[in-house]
């Protein structure tokens, strides 16, 4: 059974700092990995999707890397802003089938202080 | 892109009462549909998914059920709620590997 772990559970940084969020998964036979953002009491917004054959994806100040063999991914946020404060969730989709089920980590609660 | 509607936004129900949460999707056809629950201190847990009308797969044993009466409508139900059913319920719609999430329903069972 796939398990996804995110470290740290919470992170507080001053504005402008670069930061890294970590995600690990137990079964390396994944189809893809996604990073989501969740604001308090809201739904999820997809940030980046990395296919299993890819090593990284970039969108603006966000960069996600994937090391499938070691079961790890990182989300790098450059020049953090107070608006980046949210919970960041990592999710993996297992190989095969057409259902594209996702297994989520518990998330990292990020607070960026002005 | 797709738009996911969920209602109600918030619900407070007594133990033993029935439940019906509705999710509708705009902007796509024949999507995969998913119900997730996010409970305090726990990650997002997949409850049900559907790859087509009338096709429901359950991921965890529980007193909840799901139905898909129309292509873009997904309903989560219970005949008798338990305290442990409290949580934040999210509906998602997927086209291949991309999933779009609704705003969620916060359920409190007292």
């Amino acid at each position: 059974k796939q398990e996804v772990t995110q470290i740290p559970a919470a992170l507080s940084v001053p504005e402008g700092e670069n930061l890294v969020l970590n995600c690990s998964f137990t079964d390396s036979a994944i189809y893809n990995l996604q990073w989501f953002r969740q604001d308090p009491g809201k739904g999820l917004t997809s940030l980046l999707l990395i296919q299993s054959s890819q090593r990284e994806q970039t969108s603006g100040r966000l960069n996600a890397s994937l090391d499938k063999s070691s079961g790890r991914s990182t989300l790098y946020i450059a020049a953090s802003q107070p608006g980046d404060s949210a919970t960041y969730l990592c999710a993996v989709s297992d190989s095969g089938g057409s259902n594209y089920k996702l297994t989520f980590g518990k998330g990292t609660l990020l607070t960026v202080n002005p | 892109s797709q738009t996911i509607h969920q209602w109600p936004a918030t619900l407070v129900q007594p133990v033993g009462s029935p439940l019906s949460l509705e999710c509708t999707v705009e902007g796509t056809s024949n999507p995969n549909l998913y119900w997730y629950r996010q409970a305090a201190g726990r990650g997002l847990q997949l409850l049900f998914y559907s790859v087509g009308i009338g096709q429901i797969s359950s991921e965890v044993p529980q007193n909840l059920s799901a139905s898909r009466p129309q292509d873009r409508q997904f309903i989560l139900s219970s005949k008798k709620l338990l305290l442990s059913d409290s949580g934040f319920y999210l509906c998602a719609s997927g086209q291949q590997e991309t999933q779009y999430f609704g705003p969620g329903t916060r359920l409190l069972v007292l």
Side-chain angles (χ1 to χ4, degrees), chain A residues 31-32 34 36 38 41-44 46 49 51 89 98-102 104-106, chain B residues 32 34 36 38 41-44 46 49 51 59 88 90 96-97 99 101-103 106:
Chain A
Y31 186 76
N32 60 45
Q34 296 183 64
F36 292 87
Q38 185 178 28
K42 305 293 185 181
L44 276 63
S46 180
L49 183 152
Q51 301 290 355
L89 296 163
S98 61
N99 51 54
Y100 299 103
K101 296 185 294 182
L102 295 177
F104 283 84
K106 292 184 180 181
Chain B
N32 287 347
Y34 308 85
Y36 292 89
Q38 192 172 36
R42 303 184 65 179
L44 210 60
L46 178 63
Y49 68 91
V51 299
E59 287 295 292
F88 190 50
L90 286 163
Q96 299 188 341
E97 65 263 21
Q99 290 191 21
F101 284 78
R106 185 160 303 282

Side-chain angles (χ1 to χ4, degrees), chain A residues 36-56:
Chain A
F36 292 87
R37 169 184 172 140
Q38 185 178 28
D39 292 298
K42 305 293 185 181
L44 276 63
T45 300
S46 180
L47 298 174
L48 291 165
L49 183 152
I50 310 176
Q51 301 290 355
S52 61
S53 58
Q54 297 176 321
R55 297 284 294 182
E56 66 177 349

